[in-house]
């Protein structure tokens, strides 16, 4: 059946009777991610079993599909977070940056159909997913000279358009999925505001490169700042849970200075650090930049398989001239490379190319590493059939908008 002929009003049925979907144990799930077949799918940390213990207020299910899921014969897995809609026994199902699936498979109904049917039977009225394929990429060297008043990423012809991302988007639309935040490229009415996870991320390719290649990939300002930090005696070390309060104090300073609010508690970061490292020692690291005995900056890094992420950064308001954050990032890049990561993901960036907008500074800083802005497919939602579920979905969206 052609993808364009699948009615959006129902869950498509699989054509492969040998494909089964089951709840699985965390051990089976982790073993699949560590296997060659699972590692090739490039799961992010938000789809690791440990993430269920980070998120309070959500129920979690670990699902797997394949010829024999209970025996570990899997072709894909999913961490599903379930949030109960107040006053009902129904749930909103969320798969952050998931499911972990082969999106190259043209017959996605073989696993997507059973996944949606399982969630419907579990009481979900709607589901949100975050497909892994990229949509567009812009090289740092392309973007920097094109910054200007009112300009946005969508105004610039991409360095690369991923045909897989385009195909997956078409398949999802044909099945009744809606791209959260619209079809554009960012804030101010151009798409992306409805995503819980960043639609635009910044990535530094590491595969096949030497440390010398990474150094030459930095722009002149970055190389100058790293040298300045070294000359001023900035020391970069890997900290422990004991320094998380210092990180959190600096994060509060950073939020006030840069005009954003993550809204997370110290307990959240302590829980995140504990459960991720319990799952795999060293999965989450806290990097500290000290100068004259004082911690001036602290950044967190998470690694899963052959990917590494710079998750959260914080820095003091004073002595910024010694460039502690540049020193931290250079050390984290080198450590990610030494661990064998193929990509160092610096997470979210804004879609603005307007130097007068406050958020452009974050993009400009990351562009200096010489990587790429990557527009992911973003997040997609659909109600799980029936007028009642559609009504609950609309009510839930209104509820979230009021929070």
């Amino acid at each position: 059946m052609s993808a364009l002929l699948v009615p959006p009003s129902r869950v498509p049925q699989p054509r492969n009777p040998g494909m089964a979907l089951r709840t699985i144990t965390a051990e089976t799930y982790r073993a699949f991610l560590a296997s060659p077949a699972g590692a090739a799918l490039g799961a992010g940390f938000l789809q690791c079993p440990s993430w269920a213990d980070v998120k309070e207020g959500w129920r979690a299910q670990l699902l797997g599909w394949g010829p024999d899921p209970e025996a570990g014969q899997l072709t894909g897995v999913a961490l599903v977070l379930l949030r109960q809609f107040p006053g009902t026994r129904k749930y909103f199902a969320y798969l952050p940056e998931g499911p972990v699936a082969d999106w190259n498979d043209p017959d996605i109904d073989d696993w997507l159909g059973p996944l949606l049917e399982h969630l419907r039977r579990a009481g979900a009225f709607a589901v949100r997913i975050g497909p892994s394929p990229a949509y567009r990429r812009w090289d740092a060297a392309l973007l920097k000279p094109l910054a200007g008043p009112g300009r946005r990423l969508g105004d610039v012809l991409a360095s690369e358009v991923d045909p897989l991302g385009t195909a997956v988007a078409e398949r999802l639309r044909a099945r009744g999925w809606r791209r959260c935040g619209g079809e554009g490229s960012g804030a101010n009415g151009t798409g992306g505001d409805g995503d819980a996870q960043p639609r635009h991320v910044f990535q530094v390719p590491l595969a096949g490169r030497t440390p010398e290649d990474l150094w030459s990939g930095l722009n002149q300002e970055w190389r100058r700042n790293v040298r300045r930090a070294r000359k001023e005696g900035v020391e970069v070390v890997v900290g422990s849970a004991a320094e998380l309060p210092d990180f959190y104090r600096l994060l509060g300073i950073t939020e006030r200075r840069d005009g954003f609010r993550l809204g997370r508690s110290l307990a959240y970061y302590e829980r995140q650090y504990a459960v991720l490292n319990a799952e795999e020692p060293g999965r989450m690291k806290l990097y500290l930049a000290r100068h004259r005995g004082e911690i001036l900056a602290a950044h967190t890094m998470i690694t899963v398989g052959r990917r590494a992420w710079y998750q959260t950064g914080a820095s003091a308001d004073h002595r910024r001239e010694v460039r502690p954050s540049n020193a931290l990032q250079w050390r984290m890049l080198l450590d990610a490379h030494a661990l064998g990561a193929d990509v160092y993901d610096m997470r979210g960036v804004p879609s603005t190319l307007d130097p007068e907008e406050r958020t452009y500074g974050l993009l400009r800083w990351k562009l200096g590493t010489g990587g790429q802005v990557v527009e992911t497919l973003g997040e997609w939602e659909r109600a799980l059939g029936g007028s009642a579920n559609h009504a609950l979905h609309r009510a839930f969206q209104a509820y979230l908008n009021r929070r």
Side-chain angles (χ1 to χ4, degrees):
M1 180 183 292
S2 168
L4 295 177
L5 299 179
V6 177
S9 59
R10 64 180 179 86
V11 174
Q13 296 303 306
R15 294 180 291 179
N16 181 0
M19 183 75 69
L21 183 143
R22 301 286 187 273
T23 58
I24 58 175
T25 66
E27 291 73 23
T28 300
Y29 193 116
R30 293 187 189 104
F32 173 71
L33 293 186
S35 70
L41 299 178
F45 64 91
L46 298 177
Q47 278 291 297
C48 287
S50 56
W51 198 252
D53 296 322
V54 175
K55 302 300 291 181
E56 291 187 324
W58 297 77
R59 288 178 50 198
Q61 287 190 356
L62 298 177
L63 305 177
W65 55 88
D68 190 350
E70 291 96 335
Q73 297 179 28
L74 296 163
T75 56
V77 292
L79 165 64
V80 181
L81 300 176
L82 297 165
R83 171 77 69 140
Q84 189 171 8
F85 187 28
T88 76
R89 295 182 179 180
K90 290 284 194 172
Y91 296 88
F92 179 74
Y94 180 38
L95 287 70
E97 297 187 1
V100 182
D102 180 9
W103 291 98
N104 281 287
D105 183 0
D107 298 322
I108 63 173
D109 293 336
D110 285 347
W111 53 267
L112 187 58
L115 174 63
L116 297 183
E117 181 59 25
H118 171 89
L119 295 175
R120 187 190 64 78
R121 292 197 308 268
F125 60 85
V127 60
R128 175 184 287 205
I129 61 175
S132 59
Y135 180 42
R136 295 184 289 185
R137 300 174 186 270
W138 293 266
D139 294 335
L142 168 69
L143 290 176
K144 191 171 181 180
L146 295 179
R151 302 209 73 181
R152 311 197 73 79
L153 283 171
D155 300 326
V156 178
L157 187 65
S159 304
E160 176 187 344
V161 177
D162 192 321
L164 175 60
T166 302
V168 169
E170 291 174 351
R171 291 168 188 161
L172 290 175
R173 288 190 195 97
R175 287 155 175 81
W177 293 84
R178 179 186 63 84
R179 197 181 192 194
C180 302
E183 296 294 333
S185 325
N188 297 335
T190 55
D193 286 346
D195 299 317
Q197 305 303 324
R199 180 180 293 189
H200 296 91
V201 298
F202 195 87
Q203 297 180 350
V204 181
L206 303 180
R209 303 177 71 189
T210 66
E212 292 73 24
D213 294 331
L214 297 178
W215 178 256
S216 63
L218 303 179
N219 67 16
Q220 290 184 352
E221 181 181 2
W222 261 79
R223 292 197 296 268
R224 183 170 62 249
N225 288 342
V226 173
R227 290 192 187 103
R228 175 70 182 273
R230 189 180 302 135
K231 181 180 179 181
E232 294 288 346
V234 173
E235 177 191 19
V236 176
V237 298
V238 177
S240 68
E243 284 83 27
L244 283 172
D246 294 295
F247 159 77
Y248 190 70
R249 174 182 56 82
L250 291 172
L251 182 59
I253 293 171
T254 305
E255 289 178 332
R256 291 188 292 273
R257 180 181 66 239
D258 294 345
F260 68 92
R261 176 68 175 157
L262 294 177
R264 294 170 183 152
S265 65
L266 173 60
Y268 173 90
Y269 293 103
E270 291 174 331
R271 184 169 64 254
Q272 183 186 102
Y273 188 90
V275 300
L276 265 63
N277 287 320
E279 183 172 61
E280 181 175 313
R283 169 148 288 168
M284 180 176 178
K285 294 180 180 178
L286 175 65
Y287 285 79
L288 309 171
R290 289 195 179 101
H291 184 248
R292 299 175 187 170
E294 181 183 1
I295 298 174
L296 293 182
H299 296 178
T300 59
M301 185 172 83
I302 299 175
T303 56
V304 177
R306 300 182 68 87
R307 297 175 66 189
W309 292 263
Y310 158 45
Q311 189 197 19
T312 307
S315 60
D317 283 340
H318 61 289
R319 267 186 270 162
R320 296 170 64 80
E321 71 279 0
V322 303
R323 304 300 179 185
S325 292
N326 294 93
L328 277 178
Q329 285 300 308
W330 175 238
R331 165 71 183 274
M332 291 163 70
L333 264 171
L334 291 178
D335 283 3
H337 181 270
L339 288 169
D342 291 331
V343 174
Y344 181 67
D345 192 320
M346 301 181 78
R347 295 293 282 170
V349 290
S351 63
T352 182
L353 294 175
D354 188 341
E356 296 302 315
E357 291 193 31
R358 190 172 192 173
T359 56
Y360 174 74
L362 177 64
L363 174 60
R364 181 182 180 277
W365 187 71
K366 294 182 180 182
L367 287 173
T369 62
Q372 296 177 317
V373 174
V374 179
E375 182 183 2
T376 69
L377 284 183
E379 297 186 326
W380 296 68
E381 275 188 18
R382 62 164 289 172
L384 292 181
S387 58
N389 282 344
H390 279 274
L392 275 176
H393 188 208
R394 290 191 296 271
F396 187 72
Q397 290 173 318
Y399 164 75
L400 291 179
N401 290 335
R402 291 195 303 267
R403 294 180 63 192

